[in-house]
Amino acid sequence: MRIVRDIREMQTASRAARVQGLTIGFVPTMGALHEGHLSLVRQARTHADLAVISIFVNPLQFGPSEDFSQYPRTLEADCARLEAEGVEIVFAPTPEQMYPNGATTVVHVEGLSDKLDGGSRPGHFRGVTTVVAKLFHIVQPDCAVFGQKDAAQVAVLRRMVRDLNMDVELIVAPIVREADGLALSSRNAYLTPQQRQQALILHRTLQQVEASSDSGKTSSEELRSTALSTLASEPAAKLDYFEIIDPDTLAPVAETTNGALAAVAASFGTTRLIDNLLLPKR
Ligand code: AMP
């Protein structure tokens, strides 16, 4: 497995692969890899000849009071896991390379970037779309795999790819959970044992919404009020949002008959967690 730290070197490696007729499957990550990330890596490997995984804690997507400096950085262990998965290239550039002095160009998806997490984390999605656009230019992937865990991110990136005619297929991989239902996240490492238990309320809430939906309820208002009362049963959860929305436009839907996304974000202590569930058409 090759670890590439230099942008030019990555571009040369991608060009060489494409000249040989090899397809490239790409997974952008911020490292601190867990099974959720590895499930994306496996998808990239089945969809393409060569897997490129980026590890880059992107300063542009963190707010001034967020956890950028604290974010777990475990490059050596990450590379060992990726090597065991049979990955060909890890691309791990420095912030100075990605954002040299004077870099002022950004990619911003208007109308979507201020919804859900974008509402609570101003500038977050602008940071995500800018870095992913840059990574796509550098890696030149045929396909890129993202997790359904970050459902709003998927909507924003789909729109970016469509609007800017990027020649890359987006593949969305399902949420990987712990045995007790907690969605895997690099930020779970911040939770105390007590908070980790409290955080199970997110998945429990989504399960209740799913059960109500399965029993025939389609009114978003009713589903939302079930969810809010379940969430309120865990006073340690500081709710950021619970929304029932269209997964592409992120706009609220009154009825879930055409399918919908139930998305939740809450903090446990200072750790903000997200989770979601796709409700099928009824
Ligand atoms: P991150 O390192 O947090 O930027 O995540 C990198 C990619 O992994 C994103 O596309 C996430 O949606 C995805 N991901 C994170 N956690 C999970 C999970 N529990 N299941 C599936 N994908 C995930």
Side-chain angles (χ1 to χ4, degrees):
M1 187 179 78
R2 214 166 132 188
I3 301 173
V4 176
R5 318 260 348 191
D6 182 72
I7 290 176
R8 277 263 166 250
E9 189 185 337
M10 185 65 241
Q11 285 171 321
T12 305
S14 288
R15 201 176 309 118
R18 292 173 77 95
V19 165
Q20 286 176 60
L22 299 174
T23 55
I24 299 175
F26 178 46
V27 182
T29 82
M30 297 204 299
L33 301 184
H34 50 63
E35 275 298 316
H37 296 113
L38 297 184
S39 75
L40 273 50
V41 169
R42 288 170 201 141
Q43 291 236 19
R45 294 201 68 231
T46 57
H47 280 84
D49 301 318
L50 202 132
V52 177
I53 315 303
S54 65
I55 296 180
F56 179 63
V57 185
N58 175 31
L60 216 60
Q61 71 189 68
F62 287 79
S65 59
E66 293 184 356
D67 56 343
F68 173 69
S69 56
Q70 211 196 326
Y71 198 83
R73 287 162 172 86
T74 57
L75 185 64
E76 222 171 289
D78 291 347
C79 287
R81 299 190 80 168
L82 293 174
E83 183 147 39
E85 292 293 329
V87 163
E88 282 80 5
I89 299 180
V90 172
F91 176 50
T94 61
E96 293 72 28
Q97 274 217 28
M98 288 295 277
Y99 302 112
N101 279 341
T104 53
T105 306
V106 294
V107 176
H108 178 66
V109 176
E110 280 186 15
L112 279 188
S113 291
D114 56 354
K115 300 222 161 74
L116 295 195
D117 309 284
S120 359
R121 304 181 65 188
H124 170 67
F125 284 130
R126 195 179 72 146
V128 170
T129 43
T130 300
V131 80
V132 172
K134 284 170 69 74
L135 290 168
F136 281 0
H137 278 116
I138 296 164
V139 175
Q140 294 287 314
D142 295 86
C143 65
V145 191
F146 293 89
Q148 175 61 27
K149 162 89 187 327
D150 294 86
Q153 171 171 284
V154 167
V156 172
L157 291 175
R158 266 198 207 297
R159 183 72 65 83
M160 174 186 83
V161 164
R162 191 199 70 176
D163 288 355
L164 296 182
N165 309 95
M166 293 178 170
D167 191 13
V168 51
E169 181 196 356
L170 294 195
I171 296 167
V172 181
I175 302 178
V176 177
R177 300 177 179 281
E178 303 275 9
D180 59 10
L182 183 68
L184 294 187
S185 163
S186 306
R187 290 193 168 95
N188 291 352
Y190 300 150
L191 299 170
T192 64
Q194 193 190 17
Q195 289 168 341
R196 200 201 160 293
Q197 279 308 109
Q198 294 161 344
L200 295 175
I201 194 68
L202 299 182
H203 183 236
R204 266 211 302 281
T205 300
L206 292 171
Q207 279 184 310
Q208 279 203 358
V209 170
E210 187 169 39
S212 303
S213 164
D214 286 347
S215 73
K217 276 213 179 95
T218 57
S219 151
S220 296
E221 205 176 303
E222 275 182 59
L223 292 169
R224 190 162 186 274
S225 77
T226 311
L228 292 181
S229 63
T230 309
L231 285 163
S233 72
E234 177 46 80
K238 283 192 278 345
L239 183 65
D240 178 353
Y241 63 72
F242 179 91
E243 302 287 348
I244 297 184
I245 53 200
D246 179 290
D248 294 319
T249 63
L250 305 180
V253 293
E255 291 286 328
T256 64
T257 34
N258 289 326
L261 175 75
V264 63
S267 293
F268 300 85
T270 54
T271 304
R272 183 176 175 281
L273 300 179
I274 57 174
D275 203 345
N276 68 82
L277 164 79
L278 277 169
L279 296 169
K281 276 188 186 170
R282 292 275 158 219

